[in-house]
């Protein structure tokens, strides 16, 4: 990929991700290598609705966190049924990684 010297690293990654996602994100075996062998995979989310006022809202407020708590409490990943559109794509957070 061509990038001019001084291009912010987050911009380089944002340009690489659509074409080379598999090289930038951990695959299942790489994730498992970082976790204890006896820890089962309960739920994996690649996209979710992230509250934008994370520091000001208690965890019990956003639907995403309430659903994650239900999954953890019940052990049932099917309890995660979000009614909100995912917003974790970088385009929703253009200033992420700049501070």
């Amino acid at each position: 990929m061509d990038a001019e010297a001084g291009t912010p690293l987050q911009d380089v990654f944002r340009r690489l991700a659509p074409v080379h996602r598999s090289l930038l994100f951990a695959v299942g075996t790489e994730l498992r290598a970082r976790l204890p062998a006896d820890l089962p995979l309960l739920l994996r989310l690649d996209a979710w609705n992230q509250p934008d006022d994370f520091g000001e809202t208690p965890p019990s407020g956003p639907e995403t966190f309430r659903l994650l708590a239900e999954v953890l409490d019940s052990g049932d990943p099917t309890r995660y049924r979000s009614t909100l559109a995912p917003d974790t794509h970088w385009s929703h957070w253009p200033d992420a990684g700049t501070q």
Side-chain angles (χ1 to χ4, degrees):
M1 185 195 97
D2 291 328
E4 293 185 27
T7 300
L9 190 55
Q10 70 269 13
D11 291 343
V12 173
F13 287 142
R14 288 171 179 170
R15 289 169 48 192
L16 284 171
V19 179
H20 301 289
R21 183 177 179 86
S22 65
L23 297 174
L24 298 169
F25 292 85
V27 295
T29 54
E30 293 167 325
L31 291 172
R32 288 306 313 171
R34 302 261 183 219
L35 300 171
D38 61 343
L39 182 65
L41 175 64
L42 179 58
L43 177 69
R44 178 178 174 174
L45 299 176
D46 290 323
W48 59 91
N49 185 276
Q50 176 68 36
D52 61 359
D53 60 349
F54 184 68
E56 300 172 20
T57 302
S60 59
E63 176 188 80
T64 300
F65 298 150
R66 289 192 318 269
L67 291 173
L68 289 172
E70 285 183 35
V71 168
L72 291 170
D73 184 55
S74 69
D76 180 4
T78 65
R79 308 262 318 244
Y80 187 88
R81 292 178 297 230
S82 181
T83 63
L84 304 172
D87 68 353
T88 51
H89 187 271
W90 70 265
S91 60
H92 295 279
W93 306 87
D95 295 330
T98 62
Q99 304 190 11

